[in-house]
Amino acid sequence: MANLTLAIDDVLLQRAREAALREHTSVNALVRDFLGRYVDARSRRLEALEQFEAVAFGSHGVSREPWSRESLHERL
């Protein structure tokens, strides 16, 4: 496991220490957990975007006319 040095505002660090104490953990564990969730969420967003683009590019739908607000809300 690698070590990482961070520059953190003193007030933020104190608040993080207090949060870690309340949660019976360490600031290190909080940062590690946050980074893990951040990276996972970002990966999921990118994967979802890639899947959306694949569906969009694979679609053969064509609009004959430009859309307008009225046409989108038109009842058929």
Side-chain angles (χ1 to χ4, degrees):
M1 190 173 293
N3 287 323
L4 173 66
T5 302
L6 298 172
I8 300 176
D9 179 74
D10 291 338
V11 174
L12 177 59
L13 179 56
Q14 183 57 40
R15 291 176 61 200
R17 285 178 175 154
E18 292 167 2
L21 186 62
R22 280 192 305 274
E23 296 178 25
H24 307 288
T25 190
S26 66
V27 172
N28 187 52
L30 291 177
V31 171
R32 190 171 45 244
D33 181 59
F34 171 79
L35 288 175
R37 286 185 287 115
Y38 173 79
V39 169
D40 289 344
R42 181 171 167 75
S43 295
R44 285 193 308 273
R45 282 192 305 271
L46 291 174
E47 183 178 329
L49 181 57
E50 288 172 3
Q51 291 175 358
F52 175 78
E53 288 175 342
V55 168
F57 289 128
S59 172
H60 300 292
V62 178
S63 295
R64 292 181 220 145
E65 299 176 15
W67 295 350
S68 68
R69 179 179 173 87
E70 291 77 24
S71 69
L72 292 174
H73 294 281
E74 195 174 87
R75 302 282 183 203
L76 298 176

